[in-house]
Amino acid sequence: MALQPWRTGIVTRIEQATHNTRRYWVKVPELERFDFTPGQFVTLDLPIHEKPNRRWRSYSIASWPDGSNEFELLIVLLEGGAGTQYLFHEVQVGTELQLRGPQGVFVLPQDLQKDLYLICTGTGIAPFRSMLHHIERHNIAHQGLHLIFGTRSQSDLLYYDELRALEERLPGFRYLPTLSREQWQGCCGYVHNVYEDLVHTHQAAEGSLPHAQFFLCGWKAMVDEAKERILKLGFEKKDVVLELYG
């Protein structure tokens, strides 16, 4: 795919999602439609450094293709991070942003013939939100869909009510948020416990590993550990697809 040119986007809306995470809606006026494949990202060129490659920050698109020229980004404030400090303290509705995209190959397979385990932490939930709504919107045939989202506490949950509602509407979809530092009615602990339990339960019932593919998105430590654990469960490298943050 040819590299897209730099374009000017305009911030149309900003919403606080949690204490340190915001949702940014960006419109690209020169395009009638901003087309992308769910799971892709855009790169922003922020005025934070003289060297271009020190100004670039990439963020997964959190919305889904809807035929418009507007999309959503989900961004967490990083302590000492020049890019997010600028976005949180300087950018407001009406601010122009230089952007390039869509880019990336962290996308759904052509045929959803395997169970999908979508495993994420923090803002790594963004590309999976895009994928799941796209599946529902286009009534794409699929097997089981397991969204396993790890965060610290209930106050850090992202898109919670929306994803619970989607779970009711989308056949075969299970939303499994897990909290590492708070007890609640849902899953507790790290994401690894959740997907391992699902795999072991399937093995006990069926006598074999599930016919599955694992998509991992989030901080490097989580992604690296998950990949190692999934391979130890008996899956192959081709069954694991990665997108690293940070």
Side-chain angles (χ1 to χ4, degrees):
M1 183 178 176
L3 193 62
Q4 296 291 318
W6 289 100
R7 304 184 191 276
T8 298
I10 298 175
V11 177
T12 58
R13 181 177 161 199
I14 301 172
E15 190 176 291
Q16 196 78 25
T18 69
H19 75 284
N20 67 344
T21 308
R22 287 182 185 170
R23 302 167 67 182
Y24 292 79
W25 283 262
V26 182
K27 181 177 284 189
V28 187
E30 69 189 79
L31 298 176
E32 285 188 17
R33 300 165 54 107
F34 185 81
D35 288 322
F36 61 95
T37 303
Q40 290 190 303
F41 63 89
V42 295
T43 298
L44 305 182
D45 185 359
L46 304 173
I48 55 175
H49 201 277
E50 292 178 2
K51 295 181 179 179
N53 63 346
R54 300 290 293 277
R55 298 196 301 260
W56 297 345
R57 299 291 187 275
S58 296
Y59 300 101
S60 292
I61 301 170
S63 51
W64 49 95
D66 62 1
S68 76
N69 62 352
E70 191 171 37
F71 60 88
E72 179 187 334
L73 300 177
L74 180 69
I75 299 174
V76 62
L77 179 63
L78 297 179
E79 191 173 333
T84 58
Q85 292 290 333
Y86 173 79
L87 288 163
F88 272 65
H89 301 305
E90 304 295 335
V91 170
Q92 53 194 312
V93 172
T95 297
E96 292 187 348
L97 295 172
Q98 298 305 305
L99 62 93
R100 184 164 65 190
Q103 299 167 264
V105 295
F106 187 73
V107 298
L108 291 168
Q110 293 283 8
D111 296 309
L112 304 184
Q113 298 177 344
K114 297 182 178 182
D115 287 351
L116 294 186
Y117 289 76
L118 310 174
I119 302 164
C120 56
T121 48
T123 55
I125 198 170
F128 298 146
R129 178 187 184 234
S130 179
M131 292 175 184
L132 290 163
H133 279 282
H134 184 73
I135 289 170
E136 184 200 26
R137 181 182 173 91
H138 293 279
N139 197 25
I140 297 170
H142 61 274
Q143 302 300 315
L145 303 167
H146 307 277
L147 175 61
I148 303 164
F149 170 53
T151 193
R152 292 182 175 184
S153 65
Q154 290 183 71
S155 62
D156 297 313
L157 290 168
L158 296 161
Y159 305 117
Y160 180 80
D161 292 338
E162 174 190 309
L163 291 167
R164 279 281 177 243
L166 183 63
E167 189 178 32
E168 294 294 318
R169 301 193 310 266
L170 184 58
F173 170 47
R174 293 184 67 194
Y175 171 45
L176 298 161
T178 183
L179 307 182
S180 61
R181 300 197 182 177
E182 187 178 305
Q183 296 292 316
W184 70 319
Q185 73 275 15
C187 302
C188 294
Y190 295 109
V191 293
H192 312 294
N193 308 328
V194 182
Y195 62 77
E196 286 178 340
D197 284 349
L198 289 171
V199 169
H200 290 145
T201 299
H202 184 280
Q203 264 184 310
E206 304 294 333
S208 63
L209 288 173
H211 192 49
Q213 191 165 23
F214 297 80
F215 280 70
L216 313 176
C217 188
W219 298 110
K220 186 176 186 301
M222 182 281 287
V223 169
D224 287 348
E225 183 174 349
K227 181 180 179 182
E228 183 179 335
R229 286 177 177 240
I230 291 163
L231 295 179
K232 280 184 178 177
L233 286 170
F235 294 94
E236 299 181 28
K237 286 185 178 179
K238 65 180 177 59
D239 298 322
V240 184
V241 186
L242 318 175
E243 185 85 314
L244 296 177
Y245 280 18

Coordinates of all heavy atoms in Angstrom, one line a residue, residues 154-235:
Q154 N -11.8 -0.2 38.2 CA -13.1 0.1 37.5 C -13.0 1.5 36.9 O -13.6 1.8 35.8 CB -14.3 0.0 38.4 CG -14.6 -1.5 38.7 CD -15.9 -1.6 39.6 OE1 -17.0 -1.4 39.1 NE2 -15.7 -1.9 40.8
S155 N -12.4 2.5 37.5 CA -12.3 3.8 37.0 C -11.4 3.9 35.8 O -11.5 5.0 35.1 CB -11.7 4.8 38.1 OG -10.4 4.4 38.5
D156 N -10.7 2.9 35.5 CA -9.8 2.9 34.3 C -10.5 2.2 33.1 O -9.9 2.1 32.0 CB -8.5 2.2 34.6 CG -7.7 2.9 35.6 OD1 -7.6 4.1 35.5 OD2 -7.2 2.2 36.5
L157 N -11.7 1.6 33.3 CA -12.4 0.9 32.2 C -12.7 1.8 31.1 O -13.2 2.9 31.3 CB -13.6 0.2 32.7 CG -13.4 -1.0 33.6 CD1 -14.6 -1.4 34.3 CD2 -12.8 -2.2 32.9
L158 N -12.5 1.4 29.8 CA -12.8 2.2 28.6 C -13.9 1.6 27.8 O -13.9 0.4 27.6 CB -11.5 2.3 27.8 CG -10.3 3.0 28.5 CD1 -9.0 2.7 27.8 CD2 -10.6 4.6 28.4
Y159 N -14.9 2.4 27.4 CA -16.0 1.9 26.6 C -16.8 0.8 27.3 O -17.4 0.0 26.6 CB -15.5 1.4 25.2 CG -14.6 2.4 24.4 CD1 -13.3 2.1 24.1 CD2 -15.2 3.6 24.0 CE1 -12.5 3.0 23.4 CE2 -14.4 4.5 23.2 CZ -13.1 4.2 23.0 OH -12.3 5.1 22.2
Y160 N -16.8 0.8 28.6 CA -17.4 -0.3 29.3 C -18.9 -0.6 28.9 O -19.3 -1.7 28.5 CB -17.3 -0.1 30.8 CG -17.9 -1.3 31.6 CD1 -17.2 -2.4 31.8 CD2 -19.2 -1.2 32.1 CE1 -17.7 -3.5 32.5 CE2 -19.7 -2.2 32.8 CZ -19.0 -3.4 33.0 OH -19.5 -4.5 33.7
D161 N -19.7 0.5 29.1 CA -21.2 0.3 28.8 C -21.4 0.0 27.3 O -22.3 -0.9 27.0 CB -21.9 1.6 29.2 CG -22.0 1.8 30.7 OD1 -21.8 0.8 31.4 OD2 -22.2 3.0 31.1
E162 N -20.6 0.6 26.5 CA -20.8 0.4 25.0 C -20.5 -1.1 24.7 O -21.2 -1.7 23.9 CB -19.8 1.3 24.3 CG -19.7 1.0 22.8 CD -18.6 1.8 22.1 OE1 -18.5 3.1 22.4 OE2 -17.8 1.2 21.4
L163 N -19.4 -1.6 25.2 CA -19.0 -3.0 24.9 C -19.9 -4.0 25.6 O -20.2 -5.1 25.0 CB -17.6 -3.2 25.3 CG -16.6 -2.5 24.4 CD1 -15.2 -2.5 25.1 CD2 -16.5 -3.0 23.0
R164 N -20.5 -3.7 26.7 CA -21.5 -4.6 27.3 C -22.7 -4.7 26.4 O -23.3 -5.7 26.3 CB -21.9 -4.1 28.7 CG -20.9 -4.5 29.8 CD -21.1 -5.9 30.2 NE -20.1 -6.4 31.2 CZ -19.2 -7.3 31.1 NH1 -19.1 -7.9 29.9 NH2 -18.4 -7.6 32.0
A165 N -23.1 -3.5 25.9 CA -24.3 -3.5 25.0 C -24.0 -4.3 23.7 O -24.8 -5.0 23.2 CB -24.6 -2.1 24.7
L166 N -22.7 -4.1 23.2 CA -22.3 -4.9 22.0 C -22.4 -6.4 22.3 O -22.7 -7.2 21.4 CB -21.0 -4.4 21.5 CG -20.4 -5.0 20.2 CD1 -21.3 -4.6 19.1 CD2 -19.0 -4.5 20.0
E167 N -22.0 -6.8 23.5 CA -22.0 -8.2 23.8 C -23.4 -8.8 23.7 O -23.6 -9.9 23.4 CB -21.5 -8.3 25.3 CG -21.2 -9.7 25.7 CD -20.6 -9.8 27.1 OE1 -21.0 -8.9 27.9 OE2 -19.9 -10.7 27.4
E168 N -24.4 -7.9 24.0 CA -25.8 -8.4 23.9 C -26.2 -8.5 22.5 O -27.1 -9.4 22.2 CB -26.7 -7.4 24.6 CG -26.5 -7.3 26.1 CD -26.9 -8.6 26.8 OE1 -27.9 -9.2 26.5 OE2 -26.1 -9.0 27.7
R169 N -25.7 -7.7 21.6 CA -26.1 -7.7 20.2 C -25.4 -8.6 19.3 O -25.9 -9.1 18.3 CB -26.0 -6.2 19.6 CG -26.8 -5.2 20.4 CD -26.9 -3.9 19.5 NE -25.6 -3.5 19.0 CZ -24.8 -2.6 19.7 NH1 -25.2 -2.0 20.8 NH2 -23.7 -2.2 19.1
L170 N -24.1 -8.8 19.5 CA -23.2 -9.5 18.6 C -23.0 -10.9 19.0 O -22.4 -11.3 20.0 CB -21.8 -8.8 18.5 CG -20.8 -9.3 17.5 CD1 -21.3 -9.2 16.1 CD2 -19.5 -8.5 17.7
P171 N -23.6 -11.8 18.2 CA -23.5 -13.3 18.5 C -22.1 -13.8 18.6 O -21.2 -13.4 17.9 CB -24.2 -14.0 17.3 CG -25.0 -12.9 16.7 CD -24.3 -11.6 16.9
G172 N -21.8 -14.6 19.7 CA -20.5 -15.2 19.8 C -19.5 -14.3 20.5 O -18.3 -14.7 20.6
F173 N -19.9 -13.0 20.8 CA -18.9 -12.1 21.4 C -19.0 -12.1 22.9 O -20.1 -11.9 23.5 CB -19.2 -10.7 20.9 CG -18.4 -9.6 21.6 CD1 -17.0 -9.7 21.8 CD2 -19.0 -8.4 22.0 CE1 -16.3 -8.7 22.4 CE2 -18.3 -7.4 22.7 CZ -16.9 -7.6 22.9
R174 N -17.8 -12.2 23.5 CA -17.7 -12.1 25.0 C -16.7 -11.0 25.4 O -15.6 -11.0 24.8 CB -17.2 -13.5 25.6 CG -18.2 -14.6 25.5 CD -17.7 -15.8 26.2 NE -17.6 -15.6 27.6 CZ -16.9 -16.4 28.4 NH1 -16.2 -17.5 28.0 NH2 -16.9 -16.2 29.7
Y175 N -17.2 -10.1 26.2 CA -16.4 -9.0 26.7 C -15.9 -9.4 28.1 O -16.7 -9.6 29.0 CB -17.2 -7.7 26.7 CG -16.5 -6.6 27.3 CD1 -15.2 -6.2 27.1 CD2 -17.2 -5.7 28.2 CE1 -14.6 -5.1 27.7 CE2 -16.7 -4.6 28.8 CZ -15.3 -4.3 28.5 OH -14.8 -3.3 29.2
L176 N -14.6 -9.5 28.3 CA -14.0 -10.0 29.5 C -13.0 -9.0 30.1 O -11.8 -9.2 30.0 CB -13.3 -11.3 29.3 CG -14.3 -12.5 28.8 CD1 -13.5 -13.6 28.2 CD2 -15.1 -13.0 30.0
P177 N -13.4 -7.9 30.7 CA -12.5 -7.0 31.3 C -12.0 -7.6 32.6 O -12.7 -8.2 33.3 CB -13.4 -5.7 31.6 CG -14.8 -6.2 31.7 CD -14.8 -7.4 30.8
T178 N -10.7 -7.4 32.9 CA -10.1 -7.9 34.2 C -9.3 -6.8 34.9 O -8.6 -6.0 34.2 CB -9.3 -9.1 33.9 OG1 -8.8 -9.7 35.1 CG2 -8.1 -8.8 33.0
L179 N -9.5 -6.7 36.2 CA -8.9 -5.7 37.0 C -7.7 -6.3 37.8 O -7.9 -7.3 38.5 CB -9.9 -5.0 37.9 CG -11.1 -4.5 37.2 CD1 -12.0 -3.8 38.3 CD2 -10.8 -3.5 36.1
S180 N -6.6 -5.6 37.8 CA -5.4 -6.2 38.5 C -5.3 -5.7 39.9 O -4.6 -6.3 40.7 CB -4.1 -5.9 37.7 OG -3.9 -4.5 37.6
R181 N -5.9 -4.5 40.2 CA -5.7 -3.9 41.5 C -7.0 -3.7 42.3 O -7.1 -2.8 43.2 CB -4.9 -2.7 41.4 CG -3.6 -2.9 40.8 CD -2.6 -1.8 41.0 NE -1.3 -2.0 40.4 CZ -0.3 -1.2 40.4 NH1 -0.4 0.0 41.0 NH2 0.8 -1.5 39.8
E182 N -8.1 -4.3 41.9 CA -9.4 -4.1 42.5 C -10.3 -5.3 42.4 O -10.3 -5.9 41.3 CB -10.1 -2.9 41.9 CG -11.3 -2.4 42.5 CD -11.9 -1.1 41.8 OE1 -11.1 -0.1 41.7 OE2 -13.1 -1.2 41.4
Q183 N -11.0 -5.7 43.5 CA -11.9 -6.7 43.4 C -13.3 -6.2 42.9 O -13.7 -5.1 43.3 CB -12.1 -7.3 44.8 CG -10.8 -8.0 45.4 CD -10.5 -9.3 44.6 OE1 -11.3 -10.1 44.3 NE2 -9.2 -9.4 44.3
W184 N -13.9 -7.0 42.1 CA -15.3 -6.5 41.6 C -16.0 -7.8 41.1 O -15.5 -8.9 41.3 CB -15.1 -5.5 40.5 CG -14.6 -6.0 39.2 CD1 -13.6 -6.9 39.0 CD2 -15.0 -5.6 37.9 NE1 -13.4 -7.1 37.6 CE2 -14.3 -6.3 36.9 CE3 -16.0 -4.8 37.4 CZ2 -14.4 -6.2 35.6 CZ3 -16.2 -4.7 36.0 CH2 -15.4 -5.4 35.1
Q185 N -17.1 -7.6 40.5 CA -18.0 -8.7 40.1 C -17.4 -9.5 38.9 O -17.8 -10.6 38.6 CB -19.4 -8.3 39.8 CG -19.6 -7.5 38.5 CD -19.4 -6.0 38.6 OE1 -18.8 -5.6 39.6 NE2 -19.9 -5.3 37.7
G186 N -16.5 -8.9 38.1 CA -15.9 -9.5 36.9 C -14.6 -10.2 37.2 O -14.3 -10.6 38.3
C187 N -13.8 -10.4 36.1 CA -12.5 -11.1 36.2 C -11.5 -10.2 37.0 O -11.5 -9.0 36.9 CB -12.0 -11.3 34.8 SG -13.0 -12.3 33.8
C188 N -10.7 -10.9 37.8 CA -9.7 -10.2 38.5 C -8.3 -10.8 38.2 O -8.2 -12.0 37.9 CB -9.9 -10.3 40.0 SG -11.4 -9.5 40.6
G189 N -7.3 -10.0 38.2 CA -5.9 -10.4 37.9 C -5.5 -9.9 36.5 O -6.1 -9.0 36.0
Y190 N -4.5 -10.5 36.0 CA -4.0 -10.1 34.7 C -4.6 -10.8 33.6 O -5.3 -11.8 33.7 CB -2.4 -10.3 34.7 CG -1.7 -9.4 35.7 CD1 -1.1 -9.9 36.8 CD2 -1.6 -8.0 35.5 CE1 -0.4 -9.1 37.7 CE2 -1.0 -7.2 36.4 CZ -0.4 -7.7 37.5 OH 0.3 -7.0 38.4
V191 N -4.5 -10.2 32.4 CA -5.1 -10.8 31.2 C -4.7 -12.3 30.9 O -5.5 -13.1 30.4 CB -4.8 -10.0 29.9 CG1 -5.5 -8.6 30.0 CG2 -3.3 -9.9 29.6
H192 N -3.5 -12.6 31.3 CA -3.0 -14.0 31.1 C -3.8 -15.1 31.7 O -4.1 -16.1 31.1 CB -1.5 -14.1 31.5 CG -0.7 -13.0 31.1 ND1 -0.4 -12.7 29.8 CD2 -0.1 -12.0 31.8 CE1 0.4 -11.7 29.7 NE2 0.6 -11.2 30.9
N193 N -4.3 -14.8 32.9 CA -5.2 -15.8 33.6 C -6.4 -16.0 32.8 O -6.9 -17.2 32.8 CB -5.6 -15.3 35.0 CG -4.4 -14.8 35.9 OD1 -3.3 -15.3 35.7 ND2 -4.6 -13.8 36.7
V194 N -7.0 -15.0 32.2 CA -8.3 -15.1 31.5 C -8.2 -16.0 30.3 O -8.9 -16.9 30.1 CB -8.8 -13.7 31.2 CG1 -10.2 -13.8 30.6 CG2 -8.9 -12.8 32.5
Y195 N -7.2 -15.6 29.4 CA -7.2 -16.4 28.1 C -6.7 -17.9 28.4 O -7.1 -18.8 27.7 CB -6.3 -15.8 27.0 CG -4.9 -15.5 27.3 CD1 -3.9 -16.5 27.2 CD2 -4.4 -14.2 27.6 CE1 -2.6 -16.3 27.5 CE2 -3.1 -14.0 27.8 CZ -2.2 -15.0 27.8 OH -0.8 -14.8 28.0
E196 N -5.8 -18.0 29.4 CA -5.3 -19.4 29.7 C -6.5 -20.2 30.2 O -6.7 -21.4 29.9 CB -4.2 -19.4 30.7 CG -2.9 -18.9 30.1 CD -1.7 -18.8 31.1 OE1 -2.0 -18.7 32.3 OE2 -0.6 -18.8 30.6
D197 N -7.4 -19.6 31.1 CA -8.5 -20.3 31.6 C -9.5 -20.7 30.5 O -10.0 -21.8 30.5 CB -9.3 -19.5 32.6 CG -8.5 -19.5 34.0 OD1 -7.6 -20.2 34.2 OD2 -8.9 -18.6 34.8
L198 N -9.7 -19.8 29.5 CA -10.6 -20.1 28.4 C -10.0 -21.3 27.6 O -10.8 -22.2 27.2 CB -10.7 -18.9 27.5 CG -11.5 -17.7 28.1 CD1 -11.4 -16.5 27.2 CD2 -13.0 -18.1 28.2
V199 N -8.7 -21.3 27.3 CA -8.1 -22.3 26.5 C -8.2 -23.7 27.3 O -8.6 -24.7 26.7 CB -6.6 -22.0 26.2 CG1 -5.9 -23.2 25.6 CG2 -6.6 -20.8 25.2
H200 N -7.9 -23.7 28.6 CA -7.9 -24.9 29.3 C -9.3 -25.4 29.4 O -9.6 -26.7 29.4 CB -7.4 -24.7 30.7 CG -5.9 -24.4 30.7 ND1 -5.3 -23.5 31.6 CD2 -4.9 -24.9 30.0 CE1 -4.0 -23.5 31.4 NE2 -3.7 -24.4 30.4
T201 N -10.3 -24.5 29.6 CA -11.7 -25.0 29.6 C -12.1 -25.7 28.3 O -12.8 -26.7 28.3 CB -12.7 -23.8 29.9 OG1 -12.3 -23.2 31.2 CG2 -14.1 -24.2 30.0
H202 N -11.7 -25.1 27.2 CA -12.0 -25.7 25.9 C -11.3 -27.0 25.8 O -11.9 -28.0 25.3 CB -11.6 -24.7 24.8 CG -11.9 -25.2 23.4 ND1 -11.2 -26.2 22.7 CD2 -12.9 -24.9 22.6 CE1 -11.7 -26.4 21.6 NE2 -12.8 -25.7 21.4
Q203 N -10.1 -27.1 26.2 CA -9.3 -28.4 26.1 C -10.0 -29.5 26.9 O -10.1 -30.6 26.5 CB -7.9 -28.2 26.6 CG -6.9 -27.9 25.6 CD -5.5 -27.8 26.1 OE1 -5.3 -27.1 27.1 NE2 -4.5 -28.5 25.5
A204 N -10.5 -29.1 28.1 CA -11.1 -30.1 29.0 C -12.4 -30.6 28.4 O -12.7 -31.8 28.5 CB -11.4 -29.5 30.4
A205 N -13.1 -29.7 27.7 CA -14.4 -30.1 27.1 C -14.3 -30.8 25.8 O -15.0 -31.7 25.5 CB -15.3 -28.8 27.0
E206 N -13.3 -30.4 25.0 CA -13.2 -30.9 23.6 C -12.1 -31.8 23.4 O -12.0 -32.5 22.3 CB -13.1 -29.7 22.6 CG -14.2 -28.7 22.7 CD -15.6 -29.2 22.3 OE1 -15.6 -30.2 21.4 OE2 -16.6 -28.7 22.7
G207 N -11.1 -31.9 24.3 CA -10.0 -32.7 24.2 C -8.9 -32.2 23.2 O -8.0 -33.0 22.9
S208 N -9.0 -30.9 22.9 CA -8.0 -30.3 22.0 C -8.0 -28.8 22.2 O -8.9 -28.2 22.8 CB -8.4 -30.6 20.5 OG -9.6 -30.0 20.2
L209 N -6.9 -28.2 21.7 CA -6.8 -26.8 21.7 C -7.9 -26.1 20.8 O -8.3 -26.7 19.8 CB -5.5 -26.3 21.2 CG -4.2 -26.5 22.0 CD1 -3.0 -26.2 21.3 CD2 -4.3 -25.7 23.3
P210 N -8.4 -25.0 21.2 CA -9.4 -24.3 20.3 C -8.7 -23.9 18.9 O -7.5 -23.7 18.9 CB -9.8 -23.1 21.1 CG -8.7 -22.8 22.1 CD -8.2 -24.2 22.4
H211 N -9.5 -23.9 17.9 CA -9.0 -23.4 16.6 C -9.0 -21.9 16.7 O -10.1 -21.3 16.5 CB -10.0 -23.9 15.5 CG -9.5 -23.8 14.1 ND1 -8.2 -24.2 13.7 CD2 -10.1 -23.3 13.0 CE1 -8.1 -23.9 12.4 NE2 -9.2 -23.4 12.0
A212 N -7.9 -21.3 17.0 CA -7.9 -19.9 17.5 C -6.7 -19.1 16.9 O -5.7 -19.6 16.5 CB -7.9 -19.9 19.0
Q213 N -7.0 -17.8 16.9 CA -5.9 -16.8 16.6 C -5.9 -15.8 17.7 O -7.0 -15.3 18.1 CB -6.1 -16.2 15.2 CG -5.0 -15.4 14.7 CD -5.1 -15.1 13.2 OE1 -6.2 -15.1 12.6 NE2 -4.0 -14.9 12.5
F214 N -4.7 -15.3 18.1 CA -4.6 -14.4 19.2 C -4.1 -13.0 18.6 O -3.0 -13.0 18.0 CB -3.6 -14.9 20.2 CG -4.1 -16.2 20.9 CD1 -4.0 -17.4 20.3 CD2 -4.7 -16.1 22.1 CE1 -4.4 -18.6 20.9 CE2 -5.1 -17.3 22.8 CZ -5.0 -18.5 22.1
F215 N -4.8 -12.0 18.9 CA -4.3 -10.6 18.6 C -4.0 -9.9 19.9 O -4.8 -9.8 20.8 CB -5.4 -9.8 17.9 CG -5.6 -10.2 16.4 CD1 -6.0 -11.4 16.0 CD2 -5.2 -9.2 15.4 CE1 -6.2 -11.7 14.6 CE2 -5.3 -9.5 14.1 CZ -5.8 -10.8 13.7
L216 N -2.7 -9.4 19.9 CA -2.2 -8.8 21.2 C -1.9 -7.3 20.9 O -1.2 -6.9 20.0 CB -0.9 -9.4 21.6 CG -0.9 -11.0 21.7 CD1 0.5 -11.5 22.0 CD2 -2.0 -11.5 22.6
C217 N -2.4 -6.4 21.8 CA -2.2 -5.0 21.6 C -2.1 -4.3 23.0 O -3.0 -4.4 23.8 CB -3.3 -4.3 20.8 SG -3.0 -2.6 20.3
G218 N -0.9 -3.6 23.2 CA -0.7 -3.0 24.4 C 0.7 -2.8 24.7 O 1.6 -2.8 23.8
W219 N 1.0 -2.6 26.0 CA 2.4 -2.4 26.4 C 3.3 -3.6 26.1 O 2.8 -4.7 26.2 CB 2.5 -2.0 27.9 CG 1.8 -0.7 28.1 CD1 0.6 -0.5 28.8 CD2 2.2 0.6 27.7 NE1 0.3 0.8 28.9 CE2 1.2 1.5 28.2 CE3 3.2 1.1 26.9 CZ2 1.2 2.9 27.9 CZ3 3.3 2.5 26.6 CH2 2.3 3.3 27.1
K220 N 4.6 -3.3 25.8 CA 5.5 -4.4 25.3 C 5.6 -5.5 26.3 O 5.6 -6.7 25.9 CB 6.8 -3.8 25.0 CG 7.8 -4.8 24.4 CD 9.1 -4.1 24.1 CE 10.1 -5.0 23.4 NZ 10.4 -6.2 24.1
A221 N 5.6 -5.2 27.6 CA 5.8 -6.3 28.6 C 4.6 -7.3 28.6 O 4.8 -8.5 28.6 CB 5.9 -5.7 30.0
M222 N 3.4 -6.7 28.4 CA 2.3 -7.6 28.4 C 2.3 -8.4 27.1 O 2.0 -9.7 27.1 CB 1.0 -6.8 28.4 CG -0.3 -7.6 28.4 SD -0.9 -8.3 26.8 CE -1.4 -6.8 26.0
V223 N 2.6 -7.8 26.0 CA 2.5 -8.5 24.7 C 3.6 -9.6 24.6 O 3.3 -10.7 24.2 CB 2.7 -7.5 23.5 CG1 3.0 -8.2 22.2 CG2 1.5 -6.6 23.4
D224 N 4.8 -9.3 25.1 CA 5.9 -10.3 25.1 C 5.5 -11.5 26.0 O 5.7 -12.6 25.6 CB 7.2 -9.6 25.6 CG 7.8 -8.7 24.6 OD1 7.4 -8.7 23.5 OD2 8.8 -7.9 25.0
E225 N 5.0 -11.2 27.2 CA 4.6 -12.3 28.1 C 3.5 -13.1 27.5 O 3.5 -14.4 27.5 CB 4.2 -11.8 29.5 CG 3.9 -12.9 30.4 CD 3.7 -12.4 31.8 OE1 3.9 -11.3 32.2 OE2 3.2 -13.3 32.6
A226 N 2.5 -12.5 26.9 CA 1.4 -13.2 26.3 C 1.8 -14.1 25.2 O 1.4 -15.2 25.1 CB 0.3 -12.2 25.8
K227 N 2.7 -13.6 24.3 CA 3.2 -14.4 23.2 C 3.9 -15.6 23.7 O 3.6 -16.8 23.2 CB 4.1 -13.6 22.3 CG 4.6 -14.4 21.1 CD 5.6 -13.5 20.3 CE 6.1 -14.4 19.1 NZ 7.0 -13.7 18.2
E228 N 4.7 -15.5 24.7 CA 5.5 -16.6 25.3 C 4.5 -17.6 25.9 O 4.6 -18.8 25.6 CB 6.4 -16.1 26.3 CG 7.3 -17.2 26.9 CD 8.3 -16.6 28.0 OE1 8.6 -15.4 27.9 OE2 8.7 -17.4 28.9
R229 N 3.5 -17.2 26.6 CA 2.5 -18.1 27.3 C 1.7 -18.8 26.2 O 1.4 -20.0 26.4 CB 1.6 -17.3 28.2 CG 2.3 -16.9 29.5 CD 1.4 -16.0 30.3 NE 1.9 -15.7 31.6 CZ 1.4 -16.0 32.8 NH1 0.3 -16.7 32.9 NH2 2.0 -15.6 33.9
I230 N 1.3 -18.1 25.2 CA 0.4 -18.7 24.2 C 1.1 -19.8 23.4 O 0.6 -20.8 23.1 CB -0.1 -17.6 23.2 CG1 -1.1 -16.7 24.0 CG2 -0.8 -18.2 22.0 CD1 -1.4 -15.4 23.3
L231 N 2.4 -19.5 23.1 CA 3.2 -20.6 22.5 C 3.4 -21.8 23.4 O 3.4 -22.9 22.9 CB 4.6 -20.0 22.0 CG 4.5 -18.9 21.0 CD1 5.9 -18.4 20.7 CD2 3.9 -19.4 19.7
K232 N 3.6 -21.5 24.7 CA 3.7 -22.7 25.6 C 2.4 -23.5 25.7 O 2.5 -24.7 26.0 CB 4.1 -22.1 27.0 CG 5.6 -21.8 27.1 CD 5.9 -21.4 28.5 CE 7.4 -21.1 28.7 NZ 7.8 -20.6 30.0
L233 N 1.3 -22.8 25.5 CA 0.0 -23.6 25.5 C -0.1 -24.6 24.3 O -0.9 -25.5 24.4 CB -1.2 -22.6 25.4 CG -1.5 -21.8 26.6 CD1 -2.5 -20.7 26.3 CD2 -2.0 -22.6 27.8
G234 N 0.8 -24.3 23.3 CA 0.8 -25.3 22.2 C 0.4 -24.7 20.8 O 0.3 -25.4 19.8
F235 N 0.2 -23.4 20.8 CA -0.2 -22.7 19.6 C 1.1 -22.4 18.8 O 2.2 -22.4 19.3 CB -1.0 -21.4 19.9 CG -2.3 -21.7 20.4 CD1 -2.5 -21.7 21.8 CD2 -3.4 -21.9 19.6 CE1 -3.8 -21.9 22.4 CE2 -4.7 -22.2 20.2 CZ -4.9 -22.2 21.5

